[in-house]
Amino acid sequence: MRDAFSNALVSAAKQDPKVLLLTGDHGYALFDAFRHACPDQYLNCGIAEQNMVGVAAGLAKAGFRPIVYGLAAFVPIRVLEQIKIDVCYENLPVTFIGDGAGVVYAQLGTSHQSTEDIAALRAVPQISIYSPGDRFELTACAERIMHNPGPAYLRIGKADLGDIHSAPLSNWSNGDLIAATNTGAPFLFVATGSGVKLAQKVAAALGNADVISAPCLKPFPELSLRTLAKGREAIITFEEHSIYGGLGGLVAETLMGHYLGTFVRVGIQDRFSEICGNYTYLMESHGLAPESVEKRIRKALDASAQLQQ
C-alpha cells in the first residue's frame, strides 16, 4: 500500500505543478521517488506541525494544492485547531495524510498511536475523511481527493496486510460501500482500513457473513448501508479506532430507526495502550486478534438468540 501511496503522490504532482508535498522532517525513503520526480514541489517544514498547517493554508490561498503528511498522532491530532480554523473554516483545498493510524507504532506507546482521529475530524465541518484498506482503495481515494475542491483527510493504517480486492476500483464512487464478499449472508461485516482484513479472517472462521469495506467515512454512504442492512440478522463493524465516534458510531447513527437486529462494534475499547510490544502483540492486548473477535461475536449472537426465545 505504501508503494501505491508514493505512486499516487508522484502522479498528482506530475499532473499538476500546483501540488506541493509538506512534511514535518520525515526523511523516509517513502518520499525518494517524489523528491526525484518533483524536487521543487517538496517542502520540509521541520518538526513544527502546527506551523506546517498554517503554511499549507497560506499556500492554498495562493492557488497551490498542498498535501500535508505526518503521523496520525500528529496530523490530525496535534494540529486539530489549525485544521479547523486555518483550513476547514475557509474550505481550502488542503489534503492531510495521517500515516500509522491506529496502533501501528506499537513500540512507541500511546504518544505515537492514534485511535481517535476519525472521531475528532468527523465533527469538523467541510472536511472529507478516507480510510482505505488496500492499495486499490488507496489509489481510488487519492483520485477522489484530487477532484475534491475542499479539505480532505486520508487515514493510512497498517500498510502490509495484503490486498482486499483483486483489481483497481474503476467504478467506485463516494456513494458506495465496496463488497469484499456479498452473497446475502445473514451477517453483515462493515469494516474500514486495516479492519477489513480482520473482518475477512473472522468471516472465514465464522461463516454466514458478508464483508463490506467503507473507504469513505465522510460523506458516509448512508443509503448504500441501509440497503445492505435489510434482512440481516446481525451487523458487526470492524475498525482499528476507538469504538466511539468512528465507523461503529457512523453505522449506529445511520441505521437508527432502520435496523433492530444484533449490532456489535469491534475496535479499540475506552482505554489507552498501557503496554508496549510489536503490532500483533498490541492488537491482541486490545482484544483484536481474530480468535478473540470471533469468540466475542459468537457470544453476542448466542445472547441475542436466547433473548428471542
Side-chain angles (χ1 to χ4, degrees):
M1 193 157 77
R2 284 182 175 273
D3 287 341
F5 173 59
S6 177
N7 292 339
L9 287 176
V10 173
S11 176
K14 282 185 174 181
Q15 292 178 32
D16 184 357
K18 295 291 187 180
V19 170
L20 304 177
L21 175 62
L22 284 66
T23 73
D25 205 26
H26 293 286
Y28 302 147
L30 174 65
F31 299 128
D32 284 352
F34 190 99
R35 287 195 294 253
H36 177 75
C38 310
D40 294 334
Q41 292 167 254
Y42 178 84
L43 285 78
N44 185 346
C45 293
I47 305 175
E49 289 88 353
Q50 290 98 332
N51 183 65
M52 179 166 60
V53 176
V55 170
L59 289 168
K61 282 191 168 187
F64 290 95
R65 188 71 190 258
I67 298 173
V68 177
Y69 174 93
L71 305 189
F74 310 131
V75 177
I77 297 304
R78 177 174 290 175
V79 298
L80 185 61
E81 179 185 0
Q82 285 72 31
I83 291 175
K84 171 186 172 182
I85 300 300
D86 295 353
V87 175
C88 292
Y89 183 71
E90 301 199 44
N91 200 25
L92 298 174
V94 179
T95 297
F96 299 96
I97 310 291
D99 200 358
V103 296
V104 174
Y105 289 97
Q107 294 95 332
L108 299 180
T110 295
S111 65
H112 281 63
Q113 297 163 16
S114 179
T115 59
E116 64 287 301
D117 52 325
I118 296 171
L121 284 181
R122 276 187 62 204
V124 178
Q126 312 280 25
I127 192 167
S128 300
I129 302 174
Y130 296 87
S131 175
D134 71 357
R135 56 183 172 138
F136 298 117
E137 290 190 359
L138 189 147
T139 299
C141 289
E143 291 175 355
R144 291 288 165 189
I145 287 171
M146 287 297 104
H147 289 91
N148 177 6
Y153 172 57
L154 180 65
R155 183 184 208 254
I156 302 177
K158 188 66 172 171
D160 56 357
L161 297 179
D163 289 337
I164 299 163
H165 310 285
S166 59
L169 306 174
S170 57
N171 296 320
W172 176 66
S173 69
N174 285 11
D176 295 330
L177 294 163
I178 305 174
T181 60
N182 185 20
T183 59
F187 309 142
L188 179 67
F189 290 179
V190 185
T192 192
S194 63
V196 182
K197 270 296 179 182
L198 175 59
Q200 288 180 322
K201 291 179 181 178
V202 175
L206 191 65
N208 294 324
D210 291 336
V211 179
I212 302 296
S213 178
C216 182
L217 300 177
K218 186 182 178 184
F220 191 65
E222 296 181 358
L223 292 178
S224 180
L225 176 63
R226 287 172 184 164
T227 300
L228 288 166
K230 290 180 180 178
R232 307 285 184 168
E233 295 177 16
I235 296 176
I236 295 94
T237 60
F238 294 76
E239 60 191 317
E240 194 178 324
H241 181 277
S242 171
I243 59 170
Y244 300 114
L247 176 67
L250 273 166
V251 171
E253 293 165 16
T254 300
L255 296 181
M256 185 180 297
H258 297 268
Y259 177 76
L260 298 175
T262 302
F263 179 64
V264 179
R265 292 176 295 175
V266 174
I268 305 294
Q269 301 297 312
D270 192 24
R271 68 180 182 88
F272 293 110
S273 299
E274 297 175 350
I275 55 177
C276 289
N278 63 25
Y279 175 74
T280 301
Y281 177 73
L282 202 59
M283 289 289 280
E284 291 174 352
S285 77
H286 281 287
L288 295 178
E291 299 80 8
S292 300
V293 174
E294 178 194 351
K295 186 181 298 184
R296 180 186 167 198
I297 292 172
R298 288 187 184 277
K299 184 177 180 180
L301 293 173
D302 290 342
S304 178
Q306 291 176 8
L307 286 174
Q308 294 174 10
Q309 291 177 356

